[in-house]
Amino acid sequence: MKEITVEELQKINNPIIIDIRSPIEYNDGSIPEAINIPLFTDEEREVIGTIYKHEGQAAAKWRAMEFVSPKIPSLLQQIKDAMTNGDKLVVHCWRGGMRSKAVVTFLEFAGIYAMKLDGGYKAYRQSILKQIPAMFPDKAIVLHGLTGVGKTEVLKQLKSLGYPTLDLEEMAAHRGSIFGTIGLGEGNNQKIFDSLLYNGLREIQGSPYFVMEAESKRIGKSVQPKELMERKMKGINLYIHTPIEQRVKQLVNEYVLPYQTEPWYHEQISLGIEKILRRIKDSEMKKALIQTLDSKNYHKMIGILLEHYYDPRYDHATHEYEGNFIDIYADDSNDASMKVMAVIDKLMGKKNEVLEEKV
């Protein structure tokens, strides 16, 4: 049986990675490219753990064998279906122990060559956490702008055109506000965020700079590493301005139109508004927000929130950053994308003169 280290795995182009842990383990954190084909269900894993605790290892192994034996043909077929010609197959569990060893043995008996990941997911996580701090490019170009100017759309367009970007909101599955998980589920935990950040850093490896949004240290459930925060605070600051009417339109398109007919939508908006109401003292603003909530006038609600809640807080946050801000005035996010690209191209074209002077 061949074992490979995490470092060897990371050098393989497009490996087929099979994660045989239970669904609850996989959902808590996984290698982003891995396919979950669990050896045990969550319930079976719990039963085996209880037996191990009260009756010992031998009894737990026997019960595990009883669970697995009927599944072997189906398990092998699922793995076989995930494969394509020429791809290298890697199997892992939590610590590279009995589960992955058993599955690799089953595969060998079936004539399918596979490798076992030494140390399993635990070794993978330890490896990426060790590597991430040294992987950031030297220069950060930071996109600022009031809520609704379309910073995320600018970032995505830059990435589609080959610019080196880190979309931290996408990695966190959270938009970084009270309403940040609307339509995105519960948000990613730290383990998933770290794995996606590692992959994102690998994609931009070798670039002298990267583009990111001016995110807070915590984005939903996830926290940025200090090395990223340091580069952000000393980065080149681009401040995007768009008219408030366009910002409201942008937010309606992003937060309202795709979801407003969903049965959960109004309740989730209500929970967000309740949190905001506890933070503000202006009675007239409270009354206006409650009226828009009751009437489901989300368009008007967004306008009130921008003018009286989000905008004052955002301008205060910009004072934390070092250096001057380069203002970019645009009609909408598409116009902003073109102008941001022009500024980046100009800055990078005069890298020695301009970048070092501003950072």
Side-chain angles (χ1 to χ4, degrees):
M1 179 184 300
K2 179 174 175 56
E3 294 189 0
I4 64 168
T5 64
V6 173
E7 290 71 27
E8 290 171 329
L9 171 63
Q10 290 166 344
K11 294 176 183 177
I12 299 174
N13 290 326
N14 302 316
I16 301 297
I17 304 173
I18 306 297
D19 185 336
I20 60 167
R21 295 176 301 155
S22 65
I24 195 170
E25 292 176 281
Y26 176 82
N27 291 330
D28 185 54
S30 63
I31 302 175
E33 305 86 355
I35 302 166
N36 188 214
I37 302 178
L39 191 61
F40 303 116
T41 65
D42 295 333
E43 295 74 20
E44 289 169 346
R45 175 174 171 269
E46 186 175 353
V47 168
I48 294 167
T50 301
I51 293 173
Y52 181 87
K53 182 177 180 180
H54 295 288
E55 301 180 38
Q57 187 182 58
K61 284 183 178 180
W62 186 264
R63 190 69 181 106
M65 184 185 67
E66 291 179 328
F67 280 139
V68 170
S69 295
K71 301 179 184 180
I72 292 175
S74 172
L75 183 77
L76 298 182
Q77 187 62 53
Q78 290 180 69
I79 294 175
K80 189 175 181 180
D81 290 344
M83 298 173 61
T84 56
N85 291 333
D87 287 322
K88 293 186 177 180
L89 180 63
V90 180
V91 176
H92 80 85
C93 55
W94 165 235
R95 287 182 296 190
M98 292 183 63
R99 285 185 288 179
S100 55
K101 184 176 180 180
V103 170
V104 171
T105 301
F106 295 150
L107 288 167
E108 287 180 349
F109 281 131
I112 300 173
Y113 179 75
M115 296 174 285
K116 182 171 80 72
L117 181 62
D118 184 28
Y121 174 74
K122 183 178 181 181
Y124 163 81
R125 177 152 177 78
Q126 290 173 341
S127 175
I128 67 169
L129 290 180
K130 184 178 179 180
Q131 294 178 65
I132 284 173
M135 293 178 71
F136 295 101
D138 290 336
K139 310 297 182 184
I141 296 177
V142 187
L143 303 182
H144 299 261
L146 297 174
T147 304
V149 299
K151 297 184 292 291
T152 299
E153 285 67 29
V154 171
L155 201 64
K156 290 184 183 302
Q157 188 160 348
L158 289 175
K159 182 175 182 178
S160 72
L161 294 172
Y163 287 81
T165 65
L166 290 178
D167 190 341
L168 302 176
E169 289 187 356
E170 183 175 71
M171 295 170 187
H174 196 286
R175 299 186 188 90
S177 71
I178 287 174
F179 303 98
T181 58
I182 294 287
L184 300 178
E186 297 180 357
N188 290 335
N189 63 21
Q190 191 68 45
K191 292 178 182 177
I192 297 172
F193 176 82
D194 290 337
S195 294
L196 295 173
L197 176 59
Y198 174 76
N199 275 17
L201 288 168
R202 289 187 71 186
E203 290 177 4
I204 64 174
Q205 209 163 16
S207 172
Y209 75 98
F210 66 101
V211 189
M212 63 176 291
E213 287 189 55
E215 304 286 358
S216 300
K217 183 174 183 178
R218 176 175 289 276
I219 311 172
K221 300 176 182 178
S222 307
V223 177
Q224 299 177 48
K226 65 181 181 65
E227 295 80 9
L228 177 55
M229 291 296 294
E230 288 169 358
R231 281 166 174 74
K232 182 190 76 166
M233 301 311 293
K234 296 179 180 180
I236 301 170
N237 301 301
L238 309 187
Y239 199 114
I240 301 170
H241 304 261
T242 60
I244 189 166
E245 297 82 6
Q246 172 58 33
R247 292 166 54 209
V248 172
K249 180 180 177 181
Q250 175 77 33
L251 293 171
V252 168
N253 289 337
E254 184 176 355
Y255 285 88
V256 181
L257 296 182
Y259 313 114
Q260 62 181 336
T261 59
E262 298 290 342
W264 49 262
Y265 181 76
H266 186 71
E267 181 180 358
Q268 197 164 344
I269 292 294
S270 300
L271 292 173
I273 291 296
E274 285 176 15
K275 292 178 182 178
I276 289 174
L277 291 174
R278 291 196 292 267
R279 298 181 182 182
I280 59 178
K281 298 179 181 179
D282 189 324
S283 59
E284 290 300 316
M285 180 185 169
K286 286 185 177 182
K287 182 179 178 181
L289 283 176
I290 292 170
Q291 288 176 344
T292 60
L293 183 64
D294 291 340
S295 63
K296 298 183 179 181
N297 189 345
Y298 304 119
H299 189 284
K300 185 175 180 180
M301 177 191 294
I302 288 171
I304 294 171
L305 288 172
L306 288 182
E307 186 174 356
H308 298 286
Y309 183 76
Y310 282 108
D311 288 4
R313 284 164 173 76
Y314 192 93
D315 276 336
H316 177 73
T318 60
H319 298 155
E320 301 173 359
Y321 292 83
E322 298 181 14
N324 297 323
F325 282 72
I326 300 173
D327 290 308
I328 295 175
Y329 295 89
D331 296 329
D332 52 33
S333 60
N334 289 329
D335 187 28
S337 297
M338 299 301 295
K339 291 176 177 177
V340 166
M341 285 187 282
V343 170
I344 292 174
D345 290 345
K346 183 177 180 181
L347 289 172
M348 296 312 296
K350 299 179 179 179
K351 182 171 59 175
N352 294 332
E353 302 170 26
V354 180
L355 284 184
E356 295 179 4
E357 178 183 319
K358 289 186 174 292
V359 177

